Amino acid sequence: MIYRFHSFRKKRFLSVLLTMILSVSLVLTGCQSQSSESQDKKFKNFTRDIFCKEVSSNTVSLHYTLKNSEKYGIKDIPVTFGEFLEDKEAQLAAVENMQAALKRFSYEKLSKENRLTYDILEYYLDLSQKESTYFLYEEPLGLVSGIQTQLPVLLSEYQFYNREDVEVYLKLMKTTPQYFESLIEIERQKAKEGLFMADYAADTVMEQCQAFLEMKENNYLISTFVDRIQQLDELSEKEKSDYIQKNALMLKSYVLPAYSKLVQSIQELKGSGKNEKGLCHLPEGKEYYQLVVKDATGSERSVEELENLTRRQIVEDLEAMENVLGITAAEAKETAVMDSANPEEILKSLEAGISHAFPTLTNIQVQVKYVPEALEEHLSPAFYMIPALDNVEENVIYINQSHMGNNLTLYTTLAHEGYPGHLYQTVYYARTNPDPLRSIFNFGGYVEGWATYAEMCSYYLSSSLSKEQATLLQKNSSIILALYALADMGIHYDGWSRMDTAAFFKNYGIKDVDVVNQIYELIIGSPGNYLKYYIGYVEFMELKKEWVERKGENFSQKEFHKAVLDIGPAPFKIVEKYMWKD
């Protein structure tokens, strides 16, 4: 899993477009002018303007995206988390104005790099236009990566480069009640329209908030603040002590009360939801889910086509398992003893192991941290914090130890988050010097699909596993994720009930009712989440098959990996279009 302040990314991007409506006429005039300025330069100025306005829309986005925002001419920005939009007509008008501005550029006169950015922006605007109708269908309090679980982690990793960063951070904490009030208002609007979450989802959200509240004086926003403030040499010991006390006061006076108010509001709204099943049971829910799938996966395939693709991949994986002779899946698990449980050692071995099949990267710094024990139950097994664009050498991976059942799980998790997964892909892409605008987009299918692909590759990189063990374990992992993906589509598109879901998993030997209920409720609370990982992974596998077919004897894994990595996060139809271009 990858972390940046991406919750409601499209809606915040639309807020930027709204601020640009008044200047669109100037943009259009500039594009039509007959000056000697090239189309490429005009386009770069255009995308830079959008980028600067977007990252300036809230303090966390700006701080996590740029270490030195002054170099982009960004300064004196109000301290805010941002807010949630509700005006559908304004959103639609914003998108249409941006589409008009984009079309004024001469596509054929743009460089390959700018055409790629153009294609991605055009795709993103088209999807945003379609999704604007369903704004209240989205859930900012998602069970997997909702604001209630994201915010504390993002605050704990908010880097202090100087005294000003500390001051801004403390002011930001003070704005938490206003931010949560706008969030609560969205939930009230959802309840009014009959779109509020199911009762069991509301219970989970409140439990997640309560876990954070119960940390009290042991809250990790206190301990992590102390760690960060101690690294600032420009501060005297007295100043550090004062800031530490003020941070504790901000937490107690603003952040914790905001969480308490959120719990109270969710409790009040609980019971107002009209649907405890999949999205397809909502008015136009099936149409909305199709957009969720397209957004989550970056795939152009219909839901029916994705279901068929998933089933075909399951068959391929089962056949590969059957072809492994002399060993069973149970024996593979019993003998899969990994050499190390040290994350740093594992990352070094993975970094060395990928050198023959992936482009080489050097001089990467990474720090492994652990999820606070009090939040282990409510956070993902692991996640990678995306570094700032101008500080990409500093990277952080969080491990949730409660999910690390054995060393093999830790090994494959670090492959997903580290090498050749998120860490590797992020740094590689950053070193291609892409248009900064592309950093504001969130193509989960590419990003999580690549990390899942990396995780699957890692089984074959381990010296502790035989080829047969690696095959059985990797294919088994792929099949389990495929079942979750089919359940996601079954529940939200085909209308599966709990009983339908239980029957489906029972066919594959998963009979524990409590486990299936947990899966069902998690999928209800985060539509499309599993598809990012699995469909993204399979789309990379399909691209690889196409590469092998066209290259034949000249096939090179390293060349394939380089081709898709050079393009960077994008919808798969755009990846396929550009991966053949020199």
Side-chain angles (χ1 to χ4, degrees):
M1 183 174 181
I2 199 160
Y3 255 63
R4 189 189 269 170
F5 200 53
H6 270 312
S7 288
F8 269 41
R9 165 60 77 185
K10 271 196 179 63
K11 302 308 166 286
R12 290 190 294 102
F13 183 52
L14 288 174
S15 71
V16 174
L17 298 184
L18 285 171
T19 68
M20 297 184 70
I21 289 178
L22 295 177
S23 62
V24 163
S25 60
L26 296 176
V27 173
L28 299 181
T29 302
C31 293
Q32 290 176 309
S33 69
Q34 300 300 317
S35 71
S36 60
E37 186 179 34
S38 69
Q39 282 288 297
D40 280 323
K41 188 172 182 179
K42 291 177 186 176
F43 187 77
K44 283 288 189 181
N45 289 337
F46 175 68
T47 59
R48 184 185 177 95
D49 190 36
I50 300 173
F51 167 74
C52 290
K53 286 184 170 65
E54 156 63 5
V55 297
S56 302
S57 63
N58 71 74
T59 304
V60 178
S61 178
L62 178 60
H63 192 73
Y64 268 87
T65 305
L66 294 172
K67 179 180 179 180
N68 298 304
S69 58
E70 295 82 5
K71 291 184 177 179
Y72 285 79
I74 301 172
K75 50 188 176 181
D76 301 325
I77 300 300
V79 177
T80 175
F81 281 111
E83 59 182 25
F84 298 90
L85 295 173
E86 298 178 51
D87 192 333
K88 295 180 184 178
E89 292 183 4
Q91 291 178 39
L92 187 58
V95 172
E96 290 174 348
N97 274 279
M98 185 60 71
Q99 288 173 323
L102 184 62
K103 290 177 181 178
R104 293 302 181 102
F105 289 97
S106 175
Y107 183 82
E108 296 302 321
K109 293 181 180 179
L110 296 176
S111 65
K112 175 189 171 183
E113 177 194 352
N114 285 335
R115 287 184 189 179
L116 175 56
T117 304
Y118 183 108
D119 287 344
I120 289 172
L121 180 55
E122 183 179 50
Y123 176 96
Y124 211 81
L125 290 171
D126 178 65
L127 190 56
S128 295
Q129 183 182 44
K130 294 173 182 175
E131 288 185 329
S132 63
T133 304
Y134 300 99
F135 176 67
L136 288 176
Y137 282 65
E138 293 202 40
E139 182 51 75
L141 297 173
L143 303 188
V144 176
S145 58
I147 288 170
Q148 73 281 7
T149 57
Q150 264 197 7
L151 199 63
V153 176
L154 290 164
L155 287 174
S156 72
E157 283 297 320
Y158 191 103
Q159 295 301 304
F160 299 152
Y161 301 114
N162 51 46
R163 182 193 304 271
E164 183 183 357
D165 288 335
V166 182
E167 293 285 353
V168 169
Y169 175 84
L170 294 172
K171 291 178 182 177
L172 184 65
M173 294 181 79
K174 196 172 182 179
T175 70
T176 309
Q178 295 97 294
Y179 181 57
F180 271 39
E181 189 56 48
S182 71
L183 170 60
I184 291 168
E185 182 56 33
I186 285 294
E187 294 299 334
R188 288 171 180 153
Q189 289 293 322
K190 286 169 65 70
K192 185 178 180 181
E193 297 295 329
L195 299 173
F196 190 69
M197 67 186 77
D199 285 358
Y200 51 80
D203 287 336
T204 300
V205 170
M206 289 188 286
E207 287 171 10
Q208 292 171 335
C209 293
Q210 204 61 47
F212 178 68
L213 286 166
E214 289 173 359
M215 297 176 78
K216 296 181 180 178
E217 64 273 3
N218 295 319
N219 195 294
Y220 67 102
L221 289 186
I222 293 178
S223 59
T224 57
F225 183 89
V226 172
D227 292 340
R228 285 173 286 163
I229 204 77
Q230 294 294 358
Q231 296 175 20
L232 283 181
D233 295 334
E234 68 178 276
L235 300 178
S236 68
E237 291 305 313
K238 173 67 167 57
E239 288 173 321
K240 290 178 182 178
S241 177
D242 289 345
Y243 277 133
I244 289 170
Q245 292 181 46
K246 189 170 184 180
N247 172 67
L249 180 62
M250 293 298 104
L251 177 65
K252 181 180 179 180
S253 302
Y254 298 100
V255 178
L256 296 182
Y259 268 84
S260 295
K261 178 67 180 297
L262 180 60
V263 171
Q264 177 187 341
S265 299
I266 297 300
Q267 182 64 56
E268 291 172 355
L269 295 172
K270 181 182 172 182
S272 61
K274 305 299 183 184
N275 176 40
E276 296 210 343
K277 296 182 180 180
L279 289 174
C280 62
H281 293 281
L282 294 173
E284 297 185 56
K286 202 163 189 175
E287 292 78 6
Y288 170 62
Y289 182 67
Q290 290 173 313
L291 292 175
V292 169
V293 171
K294 185 174 183 179
D295 188 9
T297 67
S299 174
E300 290 301 297
R301 303 176 202 266
S302 67
V303 176
E304 292 89 349
E305 289 172 331
L306 290 176
E307 288 175 325
N308 291 332
L309 179 67
T310 301
R311 292 190 180 96
R312 288 200 304 271
Q313 187 62 48
I314 289 175
V315 171
E316 285 186 26
D317 289 341
L318 287 171
E319 290 175 347
M321 294 176 76
E322 291 172 359
N323 289 334
V324 177
L325 303 177
I327 187 170
T328 67
E331 289 171 340
K333 291 178 182 177
E334 289 171 3
T335 56
V337 179
M338 307 302 290
D339 294 332
S340 176
N342 183 292
E344 286 77 12
E345 290 180 2
I346 292 173
L347 285 169
K348 287 180 180 178
S349 70
L350 285 165
E351 182 181 11
I354 67 173
S355 59
H356 70 285
F358 295 81
T360 302
L361 284 182
T362 59
N363 300 321
I364 302 176
Q365 301 297 319
V366 58
Q367 184 178 7
V368 177
K369 297 184 179 182
Y370 297 95
V371 169
E373 185 176 351
L375 294 180
E376 286 180 342
E377 181 184 351
H378 305 291
L379 291 178
S380 302
F383 48 89
Y384 165 70
M385 303 292 296
I386 298 181
L389 296 182
D390 50 354
N391 192 35
V392 75
E393 305 310 322
E394 294 184 16
N395 300 272
V396 175
I397 292 173
Y398 268 92
I399 300 295
N400 188 335
Q401 291 180 291
S402 69
H403 289 263
M404 299 298 112
N406 53 53
N407 291 355
L408 178 60
T409 301
L410 178 61
Y411 178 85
T412 55
T413 296
L414 287 170
H416 183 109
E417 307 298 340
Y419 297 98
H422 288 315
L423 166 67
Y424 173 86
Q425 183 270 316
T426 299
V427 175
Y428 182 97
Y429 175 62
R431 291 182 181 178
T432 66
N433 194 31
D435 190 315
L437 176 65
R438 293 186 58 189
S439 70
I440 74 174
F441 302 128
N442 183 21
F443 292 109
Y446 180 103
V447 172
E448 294 297 354
W450 172 266
T452 304
Y453 172 82
E455 179 182 336
M456 298 302 173
C457 288
S458 72
Y459 288 94
Y460 305 98
L461 296 173
S462 172
S463 59
S464 300
L465 300 176
S466 68
K467 182 179 179 181
E468 292 80 10
Q469 286 176 305
T471 299
L472 286 169
L473 292 167
Q474 184 267 306
K475 300 304 179 186
N476 183 65
S477 180
S478 175
I479 290 170
I480 291 173
L481 193 53
L483 297 182
Y484 282 32
L486 283 175
D488 195 305
M489 292 182 279
I491 291 168
H492 288 295
Y493 189 77
D494 298 319
W496 290 2
S497 64
R498 285 181 187 265
M499 291 184 63
D500 295 329
T501 306
F504 168 76
F505 279 105
K506 186 177 181 179
N507 287 334
Y508 290 91
I510 302 174
K511 302 177 183 179
D512 189 310
V513 175
D514 290 337
V515 170
V516 174
N517 273 331
Q518 288 176 12
I519 294 171
Y520 182 86
E521 292 182 6
L522 194 60
I523 289 173
I524 290 290
S526 298
N529 181 62
Y530 287 113
L531 301 187
K532 288 187 297 187
Y533 298 84
Y534 185 76
I535 297 301
Y537 158 63
V538 175
E539 287 288 6
F540 273 114
M541 294 293 288
E542 292 296 300
L543 291 177
K544 192 173 185 178
K545 290 175 185 177
E546 182 183 351
W547 188 274
V548 172
E549 183 178 340
R550 291 178 62 169
K551 292 289 184 177
E553 295 180 357
N554 296 320
F555 168 73
S556 164
Q557 285 212 79
K558 183 174 284 191
E559 286 182 1
F560 168 70
H561 293 149
K562 184 178 187 305
V564 295
L565 286 166
D566 282 345
I567 296 163
F572 283 102
K573 72 174 183 180
I574 294 178
V575 176
E576 184 178 19
K577 173 182 175 180
Y578 281 88
M579 74 180 194
W580 301 106
K581 295 185 177 182
D582 297 327

